[in-house]
Amino acid sequence: MHKRGEPITMLTAHDFPSAHVADQAGMDMVLVGDSLAMVSMGLEDTSEVLLEEMILHCRSVARGAKSAFIVGDLPMGTYEVSPEQALQSAIRMVKEGRVHGIKLEGGAEMAPAIEKITTAGIPVLAHVGLTPQRQNALGGFRVQGKTTAGALKFMADAIAVQEAGAFAVVVEAVPAEVAGLVTKKLRIPTIGIGAGNGCSGQVLVQVDMSGNFPPGRFLPKFVKKFGDVWGEAQRAIQTYRTEVKDRSYPAPEHTYPIPKEEYEEFERMIEASNRA
Ligand code: KIV
């Protein structure tokens, strides 16, 4: 697709149904992102999620996505210590999580880990620009590459992960012009999120783009709400509640029949046992 200039589509999935729907809708790649810490586990940020928890989610996604290339995120603390630690974690994601490749955050400093993992035959998707696992060091969720120096660092990081063997690189929250120019300089595809239309593909978090959240929730500028899953689920659940309360559900068509004579015999037997 990259060679043909066809945009690559990627979407997060965190469990069997979200993977199934993304796969059936034709996503090229499915990402079991550590964003699941916040959107599926209700945690404050992504730093708390464990490798074991990521593996559990990956296993469910792998059963739901049959065509898409599945990438699992290495969570914070499972790959930064050494290339050996990174490879061990990556192997667990593939062997136990059943993903096809892994993603890790970081630029030039992660090159030795990327080399180690890829030489063991595990495809690596790198992630540069805004790296949410490092939000405390970055001063929060801030756009990266907004100055000449920042843009140069972003480009150096993207080239470093390419040279280390990453098959593609997620580019998060970088000005569109910068991401577009760096995409042209790279051999590998860039998968943008908040990085404009000049990237080789795009990734979004499924609950965000499908509108599976209550009204009023903060959304990053780059998110487009393509659906209203929350609204539809609310409508369905509220209607179910009303129909249970007013006994219009279940209707006869939702029940199992019994032959009339069997039921009458059953009634007679109950009455007889009551008299005894
Ligand atoms: O964790 C995640 O979902 C991600 C994407 C936003 C790229 O890293």
Side-chain angles (χ1 to χ4, degrees):
M1 280 180 270
H2 180 46
K3 284 203 181 114
R4 289 198 302 269
E6 178 184 334
I8 300 163
T9 56
M10 187 179 211
L11 188 63
T12 65
H14 297 154
D15 53 18
F16 180 84
S18 60
H20 198 190
V21 72
D23 197 55
Q24 292 274 307
M27 285 295 109
D28 300 313
M29 296 203 283
V30 162
L31 172 65
V32 193
D34 65 354
S35 57
L36 70 81
M38 293 156 89
V39 300
S40 293
M41 299 172 74
L43 299 171
E44 273 299 304
D45 58 47
T46 58
S47 67
E48 239 182 290
V49 67
L50 307 175
L51 183 60
E52 285 66 28
E53 291 166 335
M54 288 302 299
I55 289 171
L56 181 74
H57 284 271
C58 287
R59 289 174 75 81
S60 308
V61 167
R63 289 189 287 265
K66 291 296 168 213
S67 305
F69 187 86
I70 306 168
V71 177
D73 234 349
L74 288 184
M76 183 191 191
T78 67
Y79 62 94
E80 304 91 330
V81 176
S82 65
E84 288 70 26
Q85 184 211 24
L87 177 56
Q88 270 163 4
S89 301
I91 289 173
R92 287 197 63 192
M93 291 286 270
V94 173
K95 274 184 89 75
E96 300 172 43
R98 311 309 300 148
V99 297
H100 303 125
I102 63 93
K103 177 167 88 59
L104 53 76
E105 294 185 8
E109 75 287 0
M110 293 318 301
I114 295 172
E115 267 170 38
K116 186 86 181 166
I117 298 170
T118 51
T119 45
I122 298 176
V124 174
L125 175 60
H127 184 155
V128 300
L130 170 59
T131 45
Q133 291 176 12
R134 299 170 187 208
Q135 55 155 315
N136 294 330
L138 298 174
F141 292 96
R142 288 178 187 278
V143 178
Q144 303 295 303
K146 273 174 81 170
T147 60
T148 309
L152 284 170
K153 176 174 176 350
F154 159 65
M155 176 150 159
D157 280 337
I159 292 173
V161 297
Q162 167 182 274
E163 297 312 316
F167 73 87
V169 55
V170 168
V171 173
E172 180 162 354
V174 170
E177 301 89 321
V178 175
L181 184 58
V182 171
T183 297
K184 288 199 188 109
K185 299 271 174 225
L186 295 176
R187 291 187 310 276
I188 60 172
T190 54
I191 310 294
I193 175 162
N197 213 359
C199 293
S200 324
Q202 300 292 327
V203 59
L204 281 176
V205 173
Q206 189 173 153
V207 294
D208 292 346
M209 56 72 67
S210 65
N212 196 0
F213 53 83
R217 202 193 88 177
F218 168 79
L219 268 192
K221 184 177 183 204
F222 56 79
V223 175
K224 177 171 173 186
K225 199 172 156 231
F226 288 87
D228 183 23
V229 169
W230 175 276
E232 179 58 16
Q234 279 288 320
R235 192 201 58 70
I237 296 168
Q238 284 171 11
T239 307
Y240 165 63
R241 180 185 183 279
T242 303
E243 293 194 8
V244 170
K245 295 277 185 193
D246 69 15
R247 295 195 185 280
S248 55
Y249 175 84
E253 66 267 28
H254 305 121
T255 60
Y256 298 105
I258 180 172
K260 194 162 175 282
E261 55 286 7
E262 296 289 338
Y263 183 67
E264 284 170 355
E265 173 65 4
F266 171 63
E267 264 188 329
R268 267 196 300 280
M269 288 180 72
I270 296 289
E271 274 165 29
S273 72
N274 284 345
R275 280 197 298 276

